[in-house]
Amino acid sequence: MPDQLLFAIEVTLNGLMAGVMYALVALGFVLIFKASGIFNYAQGVMALFAALTLVGIQQGQVPFAHLINATFGTEIHYFGWTVPSLLAIALTVVVMVGLAIAVEKLVLKHLVNQEPIILFMATIGLAYFLEGLGDIMWGADIKRMDVGLPQGLNTVIDDTTFGWFGYGFFIDNLDLIATAIAAGLVLALMIFSQYSREGRALRAVADDHQAALSVGISLQFIWILVWSIAGFVALVAGIMWGTKLGVQFSLSLIALKALPVLMLGGFTSIPGAIVGGLIIGVGEKLFEFLVGPLVGGATENWFAYVLALIFLVFRPQGLFGEKIIERV
Amino acid sequence: MFYREAGDFSTTYQQDSQTFPIKFDRYRYYIVLAVAFGIIPFIINDYWASAVFVPFLIYAIAAMGLNILTGYCGQVSLGTGGFMAVGAYACYKLMTAFPDVSIVLHVLLSGFITAGVGVLFGLPSLRIKGFYLAVATLAAQFFLVWLFNRVGWFYNYSASGQISAPERTVFSIPVTGPNTEAWAKYMICLVFVVVLAWVARNLTRGALGRQWMAIRDMDIAAEIIGVNPLKAKLTAFAVSSFFVGIAGALFFAVYLGAVEVGEVFGIQKSFLVLFMIIIGGLGSIFGSFAGAAFLVLLPVLLKNVLVGGLGWPTDLAAHLELMIVGGLIITFLIAEPHGLAQLWRVAKEKLRLWPFPH
């Protein structure tokens, strides 16, 4: 096979993997949007916050150390212990559930019946708040995330493809694991929403708030539940991206990458988030590979948005979104 | 007591439809103008100009622009930073290509160029609505910033990739470049602000403004009663981008002098201007000013209190500022979704009866 084609295949495969990573973030958006009609801009920052908390707990950092030191003139940074990964993850989940409860009690409860755009802006405010909080709690320096996920070249694939084509494909182990985890997560979420009591309640709320209230479903509980799940998804995304790029501010920007994924897939569809992620991932990698060198590179910054924009002009509700019906 | 319309009679139609129908309001407005033109230029120094007044005036223009689009016409845009960049780069190209033409003309022309770009990116708004549109405007934001970063023609192939404003004068007083006096920067921005605020105020209370508001409140219903959505939405995009473009041009030429596009006109700028109009009040010209003042003053104040007063490290203060801004936005949305402008309206209602409420 010609080299160029092999390159293109490799780029496509890597694009698929990157797409899965985008889809992981997009998943959190879809969950909240379906259940409460809120477009949660803070999802990316939640991923950053979760990752920061996980690393902080793992390394036994003292929360607000910088603030305490600055106010009282002390010099404390670490408790002096390290927490095993699984326990740290469990503790972080607890923190994220706490966050979900706080968000419901302090923000959402007071904004019931407001227009969607107001709620959207409230989540932008939340994003700022969490960003500041994460930095103050755990410090703004770049941290290394290590929860024992393998990283680097997958030698099996490399050797096999080398045997077949005489050219080894470079596939990152982490991406493979991310794919497996994303598939598991989607499966679990689908089973949860189809077969469990809470899942049915969740779908009912997504369908019609008032009707759900009238049959005795607690909106408050559903919102806490869905924000907790979104927090958990954010944690998973935070672990994946954090392992890949290090835990730092730019992690919160992956939320922006998830937006075109959502537009493409439709805001209300979980499979849409996955398919949209794959299309965007492959599209931007291939575009960068084929057209990028001609126009000066770094097209990944905008390609996803422009693709989504053009796509939306032809299909305003996205690939799998519910048909938009408008009445006066 | 102090603030009432009693005894304030309109005897002509012109008086009846003037911008400030109440005498007290009118005098307040004249006093503000007199202070802004007659007193501040003489006492302003470099610190006040560059930390408070010039950014406030420029952000007020940008906020007015976004408010026309989002507050009056209901089309949420997250592309303000990108459109400001269009204004800045248009101004730069014009300044370097036609050095003999007045800078005022260049700034206005940059506004028109930005309006054109705005209409182009506003076209999808006819098909896409709500969140989808908000996200679609991000395409403008990222694409434009990338374009100005990568295509050498826009920054005249300068080695650093930056653009920097050469010296230009108005009435032979330098207003751009390193030799500009604080008061000159302030004055040129002030003139633009006053003229543009007047334009915005009169556009929004005229036929066009009512069309925008009809589209905002319910676009299908507006279409049925005869508002042309194509015209209303695209004019909103054009006028809004015109304002934002002028703000971008002034931001680059007068305020900063040199610009690196990714840093200055990034997505953060879009959000900043959006916050200004949320905190100030959607659908209010006064709100644009109030929001701009609030978000320009808040960091200065926090910095002075936290770093200067309490002796905290600057990075800690910056993080705390993020938390405070985020918290304030949420608080505002919960307490008063219509922002500072609504508080001002309520205060005026109270003042009419004060101190004898019965």
Side-chain angles (χ1 to χ4, degrees), chain A residues 53-305:
Chain A
T53 312
L54 177 59
V55 175
I57 292 177
Q58 229 184 352
Q59 298 179 345
Q61 269 190 0
V62 181
F64 301 107
H66 199 35
L67 183 66
I68 296 169
N69 293 343
T71 341
F72 301 110
T74 49
E75 274 300 329
I76 45 169
H77 292 288
Y78 292 95
F79 286 121
W81 66 65
T82 53
V83 180
S85 298
L86 278 179
L87 183 61
I89 290 176
L91 285 173
T92 313
V93 171
V94 174
V95 172
M96 294 313 281
V97 172
L99 179 72
I101 294 173
V103 166
E104 204 281 330
K105 296 267 181 241
L106 296 176
V107 184
L108 296 180
K109 202 173 84 180
H110 305 283
L111 288 173
V112 178
N113 269 340
Q114 291 283 6
E115 282 177 47
I117 201 69
I118 300 277
L119 288 162
F120 169 60
M121 290 173 185
T123 63
I124 301 181
L126 184 68
Y128 269 60
F129 185 82
L130 275 183
E131 198 187 313
L133 183 68
D135 285 348
I136 283 195
M137 264 176 99
W138 306 109
D141 45 332
I142 299 176
K143 297 179 181 62
R144 227 173 66 79
M145 161 85 74
D146 186 9
V147 288
L149 293 175
Q151 253 187 303
L153 172 70
N154 187 314
T155 43
V156 179
I157 292 182
D158 192 40
D159 290 344
T160 322
T161 48
F162 190 81
W164 289 350
F165 313 116
Y167 172 79
F169 284 176
F170 185 97
I171 307 277
D172 200 316
N173 269 325
L174 184 69
D175 287 339
L176 286 175
I177 290 184
T179 312
I181 289 181
L185 207 58
V186 170
L187 205 64
L189 282 174
M190 282 196 172
I191 291 172
F192 171 77
S193 69
Q194 291 296 330
Y195 296 110
S196 76
R197 206 177 128 79
E198 285 74 24
R200 275 204 301 273
L202 208 150
R203 280 190 295 148
V205 172
D207 239 24
D208 190 329
H209 286 190
Q210 283 189 333
L213 270 174
S214 69
V215 295
I217 295 169
S218 159
L219 213 54
Q220 206 180 354
F221 171 72
I222 291 297
W223 280 6
I224 292 179
L225 179 75
V226 79
W227 277 75
S228 305
I229 298 175
F232 178 70
V233 174
L235 173 63
V236 174
I239 292 175
M240 292 301 162
W241 282 93
T243 314
K244 197 172 183 171
L245 304 173
V247 180
Q248 52 177 323
F249 168 71
S250 68
L251 211 58
S252 64
L253 298 179
I254 53 172
L256 295 174
K257 262 297 165 55
L259 294 177
V261 170
L262 287 170
M263 301 203 324
L264 213 60
F267 280 128
T268 48
S269 160
I270 291 179
I274 305 290
V275 176
L278 295 179
I279 294 176
I280 296 276
V282 173
E284 72 177 17
K285 287 281 187 307
L286 273 181
F287 188 78
E288 177 69 25
F289 173 67
L290 297 173
V291 187
L294 305 178
V295 291
T299 54
E300 281 162 343
N301 284 341
W302 55 266
F303 175 75
Y305 294 96

Side-chain angles (χ1 to χ4, degrees), chain B residues 119-184:
Chain B
V119 169
L120 198 66
F121 279 99
L123 279 174
S125 72
L126 302 169
R127 284 279 287 176
I128 312 171
K129 285 167 191 167
F131 292 126
Y132 287 93
L133 179 68
V135 180
T137 53
L138 278 177
Q141 169 72 43
F142 286 103
F143 178 74
L144 291 170
V145 167
W146 172 86
L147 188 71
F148 296 132
N149 222 346
R150 294 284 160 174
V151 180
W153 183 78
F154 288 108
Y155 50 86
N156 284 358
Y157 305 99
S158 75
S160 60
Q162 281 195 339
I163 53 172
S164 51
E167 183 169 309
R168 294 288 179 270
T169 55
V170 174
F171 302 124
S172 63
I173 300 161
V175 292
T176 66
N179 299 323
T180 316
E181 304 264 350
W183 69 268

Side-chain angles (χ1 to χ4, degrees), chain B residues 2-15:
Chain B
F2 296 114
Y3 184 82
R4 57 179 180 183
E5 56 272 69
D8 219 349
F9 301 113
S10 307
T11 48
T12 61
Y13 282 116
Q14 263 174 345
Q15 278 177 0

